[in-house]
Amino acid sequence: MNYPTENFFGELEQVHAFYDEMPTGVSVTETGRIFINFPEWGDGVKATVTEVVDGELVAYPSQELNTFDPKNPEKNFLSVQSIVADGEGTLWVLDTAAPNFDVPVKGGAKLVAIDLESNTIRKIYTFANDVVLNSTYLNDVRIDLRRGSEGVAYITDSSITGPGALIVVDLGTGDSFRILDGARSTAVDSDFVPKVEGKILMNREADGSTSPWQVAADGIAISPDGKTLYFSPLSSRHLYSINTDLIFDKDIEDEELEKHVKDWGEKGASDGMITAADGTIFAGDFENNSIRIINTDGSFETLAHDPRILWPDTLSIGPDEYLYFNTNQLQRQPGFHKGKDLREKPYSLFRIFIGKGPAKVK
């Protein structure tokens, strides 16, 4: 007897298969170069930042810079969570310096600007103790080169033990500060119960004990004109935004900033987000094996729904007008299954044609 089955759709192309450690970040440059990063989550990472060259992963910009030196924690990479090519010749590398979500190594958390023409580090930004807290997990970053003397960076603090927040970096001075620290829009939604592959996703220890898995502000995107910053806690289905001019308004105290945050409603539970040149936002939906579209009028729709989309993580739009994203089976990690690793290799880098280019930052 034939039975009806779920409707899957969207024409995915596998760009790369990963047979070793699980990836999180992907970024495609304005010239089509593809970069991948691997955080230190227990998989024996050989290089935390890599480039796909002739189908192979090559440590970027060198193996030396991917070999952490505890005596000089600000210089080399330890555990990179996110990479973003800005379309203007720079790859921005966000190093959590917090393997396995531990307390960040003192002096190791940093944002690094790499010149893509010379493949050398242009500048390193580190953080004060009141910006990167012991509970901080730096997650994703967006760049706007139009504000200030050299631009600004917006970073999510997706803490699992402390307050969520957004971190703002002045790329000219190196100064940074936290906003929406512990606010409702950056915090875990206490009513959120994630369900992935038909099961509630929670920490499940080998001894049988369980606890909620709760992650604060995670995905982030910026409008093409730089005027609106979008963000979402991972442990939430809501999309939020703030007018970026208000962030720099000295007459508005941080505790007042939350009043200016807009709640766009439910978009699905997302890890990564990205904005196209026309303002359309694309976001993963890890509960439903999908990629979601948030249109500029606030309406939502689904771009792709496919059983292979097993935890869509970071998204990037290439100059070829394809949307690229990694699927890394995060929900199958041992910590969710009493110590049993249920991940099945390979993990994948997929792409799907969207007919839109990436938003400009300058």
Side-chain angles (χ1 to χ4, degrees):
M1 181 180 292
N2 293 324
Y3 293 95
T5 59
E6 187 167 359
N7 181 31
F8 292 107
F9 55 89
E11 297 183 10
L12 303 186
E13 299 176 33
Q14 188 187 59
V15 178
H16 191 84
F18 305 91
Y19 288 92
D20 293 307
E21 54 267 40
M22 62 181 287
T24 56
V26 57
S27 195
V28 183
T29 73
E30 64 271 25
T31 59
R33 295 169 70 180
I34 300 175
F35 293 91
I36 306 288
N37 72 267
F38 305 87
E40 288 279 1
W41 284 355
D43 280 343
V45 172
K46 295 178 286 296
T48 191
V49 181
T50 66
E51 181 177 6
V52 180
V53 180
D54 296 328
E56 301 294 329
L57 297 172
V58 178
Y60 187 82
S62 67
Q63 186 61 55
E64 179 184 3
L65 284 169
N66 278 272
T67 304
F68 187 66
D69 180 2
K71 294 181 180 179
N72 297 287
E74 75 286 352
K75 292 190 178 298
N76 296 3
F77 302 139
L78 174 55
S79 182
V80 170
Q81 177 65 28
S82 182
I83 49 175
V84 173
D86 64 12
E88 296 291 331
T90 301
L91 182 71
W92 297 88
V93 177
L94 188 61
D95 189 352
T96 70
N100 298 309
F101 287 84
D102 288 340
V103 174
V105 172
K106 188 175 182 180
K110 53 190 172 288
L111 177 65
V112 180
I114 300 179
D115 183 277
L116 286 167
E117 183 174 357
S118 63
N119 300 311
T120 58
I121 291 178
R122 179 187 298 130
K123 197 167 184 177
I124 298 174
Y125 301 85
T126 56
F127 304 92
N129 292 336
D130 61 350
V131 175
V132 168
L133 315 178
N134 284 341
S135 62
T136 291
Y137 191 81
L138 302 176
N139 195 296
D140 209 348
V141 58
R142 291 293 176 262
I143 305 296
D144 183 0
L145 299 176
R146 292 160 291 205
R147 189 179 293 272
S149 63
E150 296 182 34
V152 297
Y154 301 102
I155 300 170
T156 48
D157 180 350
S158 62
S159 176
I160 60 173
T161 59
L166 304 181
I167 295 171
V168 183
V169 185
D170 184 319
L171 299 176
T173 65
D175 295 335
S176 57
F177 55 93
R178 296 170 69 87
I179 63 169
L180 300 172
D181 192 358
R184 181 181 62 89
S185 59
T186 61
V188 168
D189 179 351
S190 58
D191 294 326
F192 174 71
V193 180
K195 304 174 187 70
V196 188
E197 294 192 274
K199 297 180 180 179
I200 293 175
L201 185 67
M202 62 170 55
N203 298 312
R204 292 183 172 90
E205 305 300 333
D207 62 6
S209 61
T210 63
S211 61
W213 185 63
Q214 299 179 322
V215 184
D218 189 320
I220 190 169
I222 190 168
S223 63
D225 61 5
K227 296 293 186 180
T228 306
L229 188 66
Y230 302 92
F231 54 96
S232 175
L234 189 144
S235 295
S236 170
R237 298 184 186 91
H238 282 245
L239 175 67
Y240 299 98
S241 71
I242 185 77
N243 183 319
T244 53
D245 288 340
L246 301 178
I247 295 173
F248 302 94
D249 188 334
K250 298 186 182 303
D251 293 329
I252 301 177
E253 299 292 335
D254 186 50
E255 55 267 24
E256 297 295 314
L257 202 56
E258 176 73 3
K259 296 178 181 178
H260 300 279
V261 171
K262 178 178 178 179
D263 184 345
W264 289 74
E266 291 201 6
K267 62 164 179 15
S270 302
D271 199 327
M273 299 192 296
I274 195 73
T275 314
D278 67 351
T280 303
I281 300 170
F282 295 87
D285 182 348
F286 59 76
E287 291 184 295
N288 296 296
N289 307 86
S290 298
I291 302 297
R292 300 277 282 164
I293 299 172
I294 301 97
N295 296 304
T296 53
D297 62 2
S299 62
F300 299 87
E301 57 184 300
T302 302
L303 173 68
H305 178 49
D306 190 298
R308 295 172 293 173
I309 304 179
L310 291 165
W311 201 281
D313 202 310
T314 305
L315 293 77
S316 180
I317 300 174
D320 54 5
E321 298 188 340
Y322 276 82
L323 177 72
Y324 291 74
F325 59 94
N326 284 326
T327 59
N328 57 24
Q329 303 172 49
L330 183 149
Q331 80 281 8
R332 296 181 175 181
Q333 291 182 101
F336 302 122
H337 301 282
K338 301 181 179 180
K340 295 180 181 179
D341 190 350
L342 302 184
R343 296 172 297 176
E344 298 179 50
K345 297 177 182 177
Y347 316 113
S348 292
L349 169 62
F350 289 115
R351 72 175 188 174
I352 184 169
F353 186 71
I354 58 173
K356 303 175 189 291
K360 300 296 184 181
V361 302
K362 185 176 180 179

